[in-house]
Amino acid sequence: MLLPAPARARVALAAGVLCCLALAAVAQGARDDSAADPAPVAAPSALAERAEADAASRSLERAPASTPAADPDTASPAPKKTKRRPVDPAPVAGLDNAQMENAEVIVRTGRKMDMPRRAFVIAVATAMRESNLYNVASGVLPESRNYPHQGIGWDHDSVGLFQQRSSSGWGEVGQLMDPEFATRQFLAALAQVPGWRQMRLTDAAQAVQISAYPEHYAKHEWRAAEVVEAILEAGQ
């Protein structure tokens, strides 16, 4: 049955409204489905790269701040090493100050000559026997008294710590009155004695001095060793 024209218009309008409602429902459903789906999972390689980046970021956050370099203009200088200064040792073995100072000259001179400790002991013991460790002038050689001296001897023209004689070729009188020169002369002669290091002290001294009393040097050995030890310990 054919509906009248007004009726057909109302039917057509209703159908159109239903169609629009259906399309709107379909669109809303699609949006709901999209919101419900979980986010796509990243590939394993992408996850590893992201983890490395996160770890690097965390390590940077934990890294301590670098210590600033010291300013060379304000930094404290390193302490300087100080060398031990030699001191004058107190007299030992019954010596007085003058005798001890002469012994120090003997040891210092021997060290300059690179002689061993044994040579120092022999030289000090010899000077103890010859001059009692005093720088002695000669009463029969007036020239010797023109130089600093600590006593007068009368054994021919023998002078100085080792009672060396200018007439025997040891040196000029003025030189022999110098304790350092006299010591050099004695030690140089000692170094020429074969096997002097292994000799008894008295034999080594006698080989240089040619004394009429060769055994008299031996009794001074222990005192000479004590004196030399005290001088070396003082840094001389």
Side-chain angles (χ1 to χ4, degrees), residues 51-71:
E52 290 177 358
D54 291 343
S57 175
R58 287 192 299 271
S59 64
L60 288 175
E61 292 173 358
R62 290 194 300 267
S66 59
T67 303
D71 187 348

Side-chain angles (χ1 to χ4, degrees), residues 96-116:
D96 60 24
N97 288 326
Q99 292 169 305
M100 196 70 179
E101 288 173 2
N102 288 330
E104 290 176 40
V105 172
I106 291 173
V107 172
R108 285 198 301 267
T109 303
R111 294 187 69 180
K112 290 177 183 177
M113 297 174 67
D114 292 327
M115 297 291 284

Side-chain angles (χ1 to χ4, degrees), residues 30-44:
R31 283 195 298 270
D32 292 343
D33 292 341
S34 176
D37 289 343
V41 178

Side-chain angles (χ1 to χ4, degrees), residues 204-220:
Q206 172 64 9
V208 176
Q209 296 298 101
I210 315 299
S211 170
Y213 306 98
E215 293 295 324
H216 284 194
Y217 300 104
K219 64 182 179 181
H220 300 286

Side-chain angles (χ1 to χ4, degrees), residues 92-162:
V92 297
L95 302 186
D96 60 24
N97 288 326
Q99 292 169 305
M100 196 70 179
E101 288 173 2
N102 288 330
E104 290 176 40
V105 172
I106 291 173
V107 172
R108 285 198 301 267
T109 303
R111 294 187 69 180
K112 290 177 183 177
M113 297 174 67
D114 292 327
M115 297 291 284
R117 179 183 179 278
R118 177 66 172 170
F120 310 158
V121 176
I122 294 172
V124 171
T126 301
M128 285 178 170
R129 168 68 182 94
E130 296 291 353
S131 66
N132 198 22
L133 257 180
Y134 290 116
N135 193 30
V136 177
S138 171
V140 299
L141 191 64
E143 180 189 351
S144 65
R145 283 172 277 174
N146 295 331
Y147 302 95
H149 56 279
Q150 298 162 324
I152 303 293
W154 299 91
D155 183 12
H156 304 292
D157 59 343
S158 301
V159 298
L161 292 179
F162 298 93

